[in-house]
Amino acid sequence: MVEIKTDASLDAMRVAGRIVAQALTAVRERAAVGVTLRELDLVARAVLTDAAAGSPFLDYRPSWAPVPFPAVICASVNDTIVHGIPGDHALRDGDLVSIDCGASAGGWVGDSAISFTVGRARPEDTRLVDTAFEALDAGIAAALVGNRVGDIAHAIGRVCRAAGYGIPDGFGGHGVGRTMHEDPGVPNEGRPGRGMPLRHGMVLAIEPMLIASGSDDHYTASDGWSIRTSDGSRAAHAEHTVAITDEGPRILTQL
């Protein structure tokens, strides 16, 4: 079931979204060679604590997960696509990092992700990250009243495939509101004009994920959470929580 939010609810979700943006900004500023992923998680925790916000990630355990998620961010490095657990890995020069973060405030959730390189970036990694954000922008631009979920999926997929990148099947965006994962699902590839119609008051987490080699293959690591590329190629992830409104897409997870 899809909950249609009131305009007042969208304003309340913007509060949660701004906290997520603040946490991601703080994590990005702290990330440097030698800093551990666990330290980055502590940075995000401090932002959430200062804002009196909760984490929809911490202790989250869907039916397929062997253990609850132990952190407030997903920290995915190099060949990890999403859901990386932040541990004692110390960042190295040239590491490609994706950070996914959520916040709960006032009964509402925000969810967003960024990708970036620590230290000196490889040109191919810069292109991959830039394309992830280009695909996100394309998906957001298609998030219009009267369009359908398939229009968002098609817009994202077209950018990714044109650049020669893979798209991990089975992973994509989702509705968001009172909880982190709500209906509808938002694939990262699809046919235009198909799927659920978009209405004023729907809120979606739009999140392209790209695999550098062009392969779509992936697997779940032994920790039961981290999703990694099968061929060891690098991956990037970008995400915003976006409200569908009669005035156009409203990004809720930006500063």
mmCIF file with all atom_site columns, all heavy atoms in Angstrom, residues 19-33:
data_model
loop_
_atom_site.group_PDB
_atom_site.id
_atom_site.type_symbol
_atom_site.label_atom_id
_atom_site.label_alt_id
_atom_site.label_comp_id
_atom_site.label_asym_id
_atom_site.label_entity_id
_atom_site.label_seq_id
_atom_site.pdbx_PDB_ins_code
_atom_site.Cartn_x
_atom_site.Cartn_y
_atom_site.Cartn_z
_atom_site.occupancy
_atom_site.B_iso_or_equiv
_atom_site.pdbx_formal_charge
_atom_site.auth_seq_id
_atom_site.auth_comp_id
_atom_site.auth_asym_id
_atom_site.auth_atom_id
_atom_site.pdbx_PDB_model_num
ATOM 1   N N   . ILE A 1 19 ? 18.683 16.307 8.049  1.00 0.00 ? 19 ILE A N   1
ATOM 2   C CA  . ILE A 1 19 ? 19.608 15.668 8.985  1.00 0.00 ? 19 ILE A CA  1
ATOM 3   C C   . ILE A 1 19 ? 20.476 14.649 8.256  1.00 0.00 ? 19 ILE A C   1
ATOM 4   O O   . ILE A 1 19 ? 21.682 14.557 8.488  1.00 0.00 ? 19 ILE A O   1
ATOM 5   C CB  . ILE A 1 19 ? 18.823 15.004 10.139 1.00 0.00 ? 19 ILE A CB  1
ATOM 6   C CG1 . ILE A 1 19 ? 18.109 16.074 10.973 1.00 0.00 ? 19 ILE A CG1 1
ATOM 7   C CG2 . ILE A 1 19 ? 19.758 14.184 11.027 1.00 0.00 ? 19 ILE A CG2 1
ATOM 8   C CD1 . ILE A 1 19 ? 17.087 15.514 11.947 1.00 0.00 ? 19 ILE A CD1 1
ATOM 9   N N   . VAL A 1 20 ? 19.877 13.874 7.365  1.00 0.00 ? 20 VAL A N   1
ATOM 10  C CA  . VAL A 1 20 ? 20.649 12.917 6.566  1.00 0.00 ? 20 VAL A CA  1
ATOM 11  C C   . VAL A 1 20 ? 21.718 13.653 5.757  1.00 0.00 ? 20 VAL A C   1
ATOM 12  O O   . VAL A 1 20 ? 22.881 13.225 5.706  1.00 0.00 ? 20 VAL A O   1
ATOM 13  C CB  . VAL A 1 20 ? 19.728 12.123 5.624  1.00 0.00 ? 20 VAL A CB  1
ATOM 14  C CG1 . VAL A 1 20 ? 20.551 11.242 4.695  1.00 0.00 ? 20 VAL A CG1 1
ATOM 15  C CG2 . VAL A 1 20 ? 18.756 11.268 6.409  1.00 0.00 ? 20 VAL A CG2 1
ATOM 16  N N   . ALA A 1 21 ? 21.337 14.750 5.136  1.00 0.00 ? 21 ALA A N   1
ATOM 17  C CA  . ALA A 1 21 ? 22.297 15.518 4.339  1.00 0.00 ? 21 ALA A CA  1
ATOM 18  C C   . ALA A 1 21 ? 23.441 16.024 5.209  1.00 0.00 ? 21 ALA A C   1
ATOM 19  O O   . ALA A 1 21 ? 24.606 16.015 4.788  1.00 0.00 ? 21 ALA A O   1
ATOM 20  C CB  . ALA A 1 21 ? 21.585 16.677 3.649  1.00 0.00 ? 21 ALA A CB  1
ATOM 21  N N   . GLN A 1 22 ? 23.129 16.460 6.407  1.00 0.00 ? 22 GLN A N   1
ATOM 22  C CA  . GLN A 1 22 ? 24.167 16.932 7.320  1.00 0.00 ? 22 GLN A CA  1
ATOM 23  C C   . GLN A 1 22 ? 25.105 15.800 7.711  1.00 0.00 ? 22 GLN A C   1
ATOM 24  O O   . GLN A 1 22 ? 26.330 15.989 7.777  1.00 0.00 ? 22 GLN A O   1
ATOM 25  C CB  . GLN A 1 22 ? 23.516 17.551 8.566  1.00 0.00 ? 22 GLN A CB  1
ATOM 26  C CG  . GLN A 1 22 ? 22.783 18.846 8.287  1.00 0.00 ? 22 GLN A CG  1
ATOM 27  C CD  . GLN A 1 22 ? 21.885 19.284 9.435  1.00 0.00 ? 22 GLN A CD  1
ATOM 28  O OE1 . GLN A 1 22 ? 21.589 18.502 10.351 1.00 0.00 ? 22 GLN A OE1 1
ATOM 29  N NE2 . GLN A 1 22 ? 21.442 20.527 9.396  1.00 0.00 ? 22 GLN A NE2 1
ATOM 30  N N   . ALA A 1 23 ? 24.550 14.620 7.952  1.00 0.00 ? 23 ALA A N   1
ATOM 31  C CA  . ALA A 1 23 ? 25.383 13.473 8.317  1.00 0.00 ? 23 ALA A CA  1
ATOM 32  C C   . ALA A 1 23 ? 26.306 13.079 7.164  1.00 0.00 ? 23 ALA A C   1
ATOM 33  O O   . ALA A 1 23 ? 27.510 12.809 7.372  1.00 0.00 ? 23 ALA A O   1
ATOM 34  C CB  . ALA A 1 23 ? 24.500 12.298 8.726  1.00 0.00 ? 23 ALA A CB  1
ATOM 35  N N   . LEU A 1 24 ? 25.768 13.037 5.947  1.00 0.00 ? 24 LEU A N   1
ATOM 36  C CA  . LEU A 1 24 ? 26.594 12.668 4.799  1.00 0.00 ? 24 LEU A CA  1
ATOM 37  C C   . LEU A 1 24 ? 27.686 13.707 4.552  1.00 0.00 ? 24 LEU A C   1
ATOM 38  O O   . LEU A 1 24 ? 28.822 13.354 4.200  1.00 0.00 ? 24 LEU A O   1
ATOM 39  C CB  . LEU A 1 24 ? 25.717 12.506 3.558  1.00 0.00 ? 24 LEU A CB  1
ATOM 40  C CG  . LEU A 1 24 ? 24.830 11.261 3.534  1.00 0.00 ? 24 LEU A CG  1
ATOM 41  C CD1 . LEU A 1 24 ? 23.901 11.300 2.326  1.00 0.00 ? 24 LEU A CD1 1
ATOM 42  C CD2 . LEU A 1 24 ? 25.672 9.983  3.505  1.00 0.00 ? 24 LEU A CD2 1
ATOM 43  N N   . THR A 1 25 ? 27.360 14.971 4.723  1.00 0.00 ? 25 THR A N   1
ATOM 44  C CA  . THR A 1 25 ? 28.367 16.025 4.562  1.00 0.00 ? 25 THR A CA  1
ATOM 45  C C   . THR A 1 25 ? 29.486 15.866 5.580  1.00 0.00 ? 25 THR A C   1
ATOM 46  O O   . THR A 1 25 ? 30.675 15.971 5.249  1.00 0.00 ? 25 THR A O   1
ATOM 47  C CB  . THR A 1 25 ? 27.712 17.407 4.696  1.00 0.00 ? 25 THR A CB  1
ATOM 48  O OG1 . THR A 1 25 ? 26.737 17.580 3.678  1.00 0.00 ? 25 THR A OG1 1
ATOM 49  C CG2 . THR A 1 25 ? 28.751 18.510 4.596  1.00 0.00 ? 25 THR A CG2 1
ATOM 50  N N   . ALA A 1 26 ? 29.121 15.585 6.830  1.00 0.00 ? 26 ALA A N   1
ATOM 51  C CA  . ALA A 1 26 ? 30.127 15.412 7.878  1.00 0.00 ? 26 ALA A CA  1
ATOM 52  C C   . ALA A 1 26 ? 31.000 14.192 7.617  1.00 0.00 ? 26 ALA A C   1
ATOM 53  O O   . ALA A 1 26 ? 32.228 14.236 7.807  1.00 0.00 ? 26 ALA A O   1
ATOM 54  C CB  . ALA A 1 26 ? 29.437 15.284 9.237  1.00 0.00 ? 26 ALA A CB  1
ATOM 55  N N   . VAL A 1 27 ? 30.401 13.113 7.155  1.00 0.00 ? 27 VAL A N   1
ATOM 56  C CA  . VAL A 1 27 ? 31.169 11.908 6.836  1.00 0.00 ? 27 VAL A CA  1
ATOM 57  C C   . VAL A 1 27 ? 32.127 12.176 5.677  1.00 0.00 ? 27 VAL A C   1
ATOM 58  O O   . VAL A 1 27 ? 33.300 11.789 5.719  1.00 0.00 ? 27 VAL A O   1
ATOM 59  C CB  . VAL A 1 27 ? 30.218 10.744 6.508  1.00 0.00 ? 27 VAL A CB  1
ATOM 60  C CG1 . VAL A 1 27 ? 30.982 9.586  5.878  1.00 0.00 ? 27 VAL A CG1 1
ATOM 61  C CG2 . VAL A 1 27 ? 29.495 10.273 7.761  1.00 0.00 ? 27 VAL A CG2 1
ATOM 62  N N   . ARG A 1 28 ? 31.637 12.844 4.652  1.00 0.00 ? 28 ARG A N   1
ATOM 63  C CA  . ARG A 1 28 ? 32.491 13.149 3.491  1.00 0.00 ? 28 ARG A CA  1
ATOM 64  C C   . ARG A 1 28 ? 33.676 14.010 3.906  1.00 0.00 ? 28 ARG A C   1
ATOM 65  O O   . ARG A 1 28 ? 34.801 13.804 3.427  1.00 0.00 ? 28 ARG A O   1
ATOM 66  C CB  . ARG A 1 28 ? 31.657 13.862 2.417  1.00 0.00 ? 28 ARG A CB  1
ATOM 67  C CG  . ARG A 1 28 ? 32.465 14.309 1.187  1.00 0.00 ? 28 ARG A CG  1
ATOM 68  C CD  . ARG A 1 28 ? 32.939 13.098 0.416  1.00 0.00 ? 28 ARG A CD  1
ATOM 69  N NE  . ARG A 1 28 ? 33.787 13.465 -0.714 1.00 0.00 ? 28 ARG A NE  1
ATOM 70  C CZ  . ARG A 1 28 ? 35.113 13.587 -0.650 1.00 0.00 ? 28 ARG A CZ  1
ATOM 71  N NH1 . ARG A 1 28 ? 35.751 13.391 0.504  1.00 0.00 ? 28 ARG A NH1 1
ATOM 72  N NH2 . ARG A 1 28 ? 35.817 13.883 -1.722 1.00 0.00 ? 28 ARG A NH2 1
ATOM 73  N N   . GLU A 1 29 ? 33.446 14.963 4.787  1.00 0.00 ? 29 GLU A N   1
ATOM 74  C CA  . GLU A 1 29 ? 34.530 15.841 5.234  1.00 0.00 ? 29 GLU A CA  1
ATOM 75  C C   . GLU A 1 29 ? 35.557 15.090 6.078  1.00 0.00 ? 29 GLU A C   1
ATOM 76  O O   . GLU A 1 29 ? 36.746 15.418 6.059  1.00 0.00 ? 29 GLU A O   1
ATOM 77  C CB  . GLU A 1 29 ? 33.956 17.014 6.021  1.00 0.00 ? 29 GLU A CB  1
ATOM 78  C CG  . GLU A 1 29 ? 33.162 17.995 5.154  1.00 0.00 ? 29 GLU A CG  1
ATOM 79  C CD  . GLU A 1 29 ? 32.475 19.084 5.958  1.00 0.00 ? 29 GLU A CD  1
ATOM 80  O OE1 . GLU A 1 29 ? 32.438 18.971 7.208  1.00 0.00 ? 29 GLU A OE1 1
ATOM 81  O OE2 . GLU A 1 29 ? 31.961 20.033 5.342  1.00 0.00 ? 29 GLU A OE2 1
ATOM 82  N N   . ARG A 1 30 ? 35.115 14.097 6.819  1.00 0.00 ? 30 ARG A N   1
ATOM 83  C CA  . ARG A 1 30 ? 36.021 13.334 7.697  1.00 0.00 ? 30 ARG A CA  1
ATOM 84  C C   . ARG A 1 30 ? 36.800 12.271 6.925  1.00 0.00 ? 30 ARG A C   1
ATOM 85  O O   . ARG A 1 30 ? 37.903 11.889 7.330  1.00 0.00 ? 30 ARG A O   1
ATOM 86  C CB  . ARG A 1 30 ? 35.206 12.674 8.810  1.00 0.00 ? 30 ARG A CB  1
ATOM 87  C CG  . ARG A 1 30 ? 36.034 11.867 9.810  1.00 0.00 ? 30 ARG A CG  1
ATOM 88  C CD  . ARG A 1 30 ? 36.877 12.779 10.679 1.00 0.00 ? 30 ARG A CD  1
ATOM 89  N NE  . ARG A 1 30 ? 37.671 12.028 11.641 1.00 0.00 ? 30 ARG A NE  1
ATOM 90  C CZ  . ARG A 1 30 ? 38.915 11.588 11.426 1.00 0.00 ? 30 ARG A CZ  1
ATOM 91  N NH1 . ARG A 1 30 ? 39.511 11.830 10.246 1.00 0.00 ? 30 ARG A NH1 1
ATOM 92  N NH2 . ARG A 1 30 ? 39.561 10.921 12.360 1.00 0.00 ? 30 ARG A NH2 1
ATOM 93  N N   . ALA A 1 31 ? 36.261 11.791 5.836  1.00 0.00 ? 31 ALA A N   1
ATOM 94  C CA  . ALA A 1 31 ? 36.890 10.694 5.095  1.00 0.00 ? 31 ALA A CA  1
ATOM 95  C C   . ALA A 1 31 ? 38.253 11.114 4.556  1.00 0.00 ? 31 ALA A C   1
ATOM 96  O O   . ALA A 1 31 ? 38.379 12.129 3.878  1.00 0.00 ? 31 ALA A O   1
ATOM 97  C CB  . ALA A 1 31 ? 35.982 10.250 3.950  1.00 0.00 ? 31 ALA A CB  1
ATOM 98  N N   . ALA A 1 32 ? 39.264 10.330 4.883  1.00 0.00 ? 32 ALA A N   1
ATOM 99  C CA  . ALA A 1 32 ? 40.625 10.618 4.443  1.00 0.00 ? 32 ALA A CA  1
ATOM 100 C C   . ALA A 1 32 ? 41.445 9.344  4.565  1.00 0.00 ? 32 ALA A C   1
ATOM 101 O O   . ALA A 1 32 ? 41.040 8.381  5.234  1.00 0.00 ? 32 ALA A O   1
ATOM 102 C CB  . ALA A 1 32 ? 41.250 11.724 5.295  1.00 0.00 ? 32 ALA A CB  1
ATOM 103 N N   . VAL A 1 33 ? 42.583 9.326  3.919  1.00 0.00 ? 33 VAL A N   1
ATOM 104 C CA  . VAL A 1 33 ? 43.471 8.172  4.006  1.00 0.00 ? 33 VAL A CA  1
ATOM 105 C C   . VAL A 1 33 ? 43.799 7.894  5.468  1.00 0.00 ? 33 VAL A C   1
ATOM 106 O O   . VAL A 1 33 ? 44.163 8.801  6.226  1.00 0.00 ? 33 VAL A O   1
ATOM 107 C CB  . VAL A 1 33 ? 44.750 8.426  3.192  1.00 0.00 ? 33 VAL A CB  1
ATOM 108 C CG1 . VAL A 1 33 ? 45.748 7.289  3.409  1.00 0.00 ? 33 VAL A CG1 1
ATOM 109 C CG2 . VAL A 1 33 ? 44.421 8.578  1.715  1.00 0.00 ? 33 VAL A CG2 1
#
